[in-house]
Amino acid sequence: ATLATTMREFIHLEATLIEGSTDEIIEAVSTGKADIGLIDAERKTPGLIFETYRTTQAVFLAHHTHPLGAYKQVKLQDALPYRIIELPENNLVMHRLINALIMHTAVALHSFKAPNLEVAAHYACTTEMGLCLTLESVAQRYAQIHDAHIIYIDEPWKYFNLFTVTRDIELRSEVM
């Protein structure tokens, strides 16, 4: 909602959304390809400023007919028998899932690959392809539009901080 409000207020503002790994986003901001990045880890990088944006959590998003849709909260173990819509490995949410699976020593993940969070959420809401592990804000947006269920995860790894990364303006003006 913040981006939409900003775009309405500043009608000549041009915005492009680029999804990538934390390293790819830091590189895009460092080189000027992007003015601001949203990442899940602070990295000491000369010429960049990292600020805490907010804490968020990973949740499952499920089609209204999914067997877990009746539950408000589940453990990861409860979701493992079902297909999970998998995201690219460089996605911050997917990293959380992979690490949790390693901790649970899960041998196999029944999955279908989606290119990004938005496509995965769309698949989960409009098809019966499986559960989507996504950010709570993405799940809330899709659950409002579609007949879908948000299932909270009862695991300590579900919470994480998001940070903004921008170029240090003082350093940039010294270079120019």
Side-chain angles (χ1 to χ4, degrees):
T2 305
L3 181 59
T5 303
T6 303
M7 296 297 288
R8 279 194 299 274
E9 188 174 329
F10 300 96
I11 58 173
H12 297 293
L13 180 68
E14 186 177 316
T16 303
L17 180 63
I18 303 168
E19 191 170 354
S21 70
T22 297
D23 290 336
E24 291 168 338
I25 293 169
I26 289 172
E27 178 68 19
V29 172
S30 292
T31 61
K33 183 177 179 183
D35 293 321
I36 187 169
L38 186 62
I39 57 175
D40 68 330
E42 278 187 278
R43 302 263 171 87
K44 297 287 184 196
T45 308
L48 297 180
I49 298 172
F50 295 84
E51 295 178 335
T52 301
Y53 173 59
R54 68 178 174 157
T55 299
T56 190
Q57 67 177 312
V59 299
F60 286 116
L61 183 61
H63 189 269
H64 68 93
T65 62
H66 195 282
L68 291 182
Y71 296 92
K72 294 279 185 211
Q73 184 170 298
V74 297
K75 292 249 184 225
L76 177 60
Q77 206 65 27
D78 302 326
L80 290 180
Y82 300 98
R83 188 173 2 178
I84 295 174
I85 299 172
E86 191 177 337
L87 297 163
E89 291 175 13
N90 68 357
N91 182 283
L92 65 101
V93 178
M94 198 62 200
H95 275 288
R96 296 290 168 132
L97 178 60
I98 290 169
N99 289 336
L101 290 171
I102 291 168
M103 288 174 22
H104 279 59
T105 62
V107 178
L109 176 64
H110 306 286
S111 66
F112 170 82
K113 283 198 184 266
N116 59 51
L117 285 173
E118 298 292 328
V119 172
H122 179 76
Y123 286 159
C125 292
T126 61
T127 71
E128 296 180 19
M129 286 184 175
L131 296 167
C132 170
L133 181 68
T134 190
L135 301 175
E136 183 180 27
S137 58
V138 173
Q140 288 171 341
R141 190 170 67 244
Y142 276 85
Q144 286 176 354
I145 299 168
H146 302 283
D147 188 13
H149 300 280
I150 297 173
I151 306 163
Y152 290 86
I153 302 169
D154 185 18
E155 300 285 350
W157 56 264
K158 69 180 178 182
Y159 293 108
F160 51 100
N161 292 319
L162 294 176
F163 300 89
T164 59
V165 57
T166 55
R167 286 184 303 286
D168 186 335
I169 295 171
E170 290 178 13
L171 181 65
R172 187 175 64 187
S173 60
E174 287 175 16
V175 173
M176 299 173 136

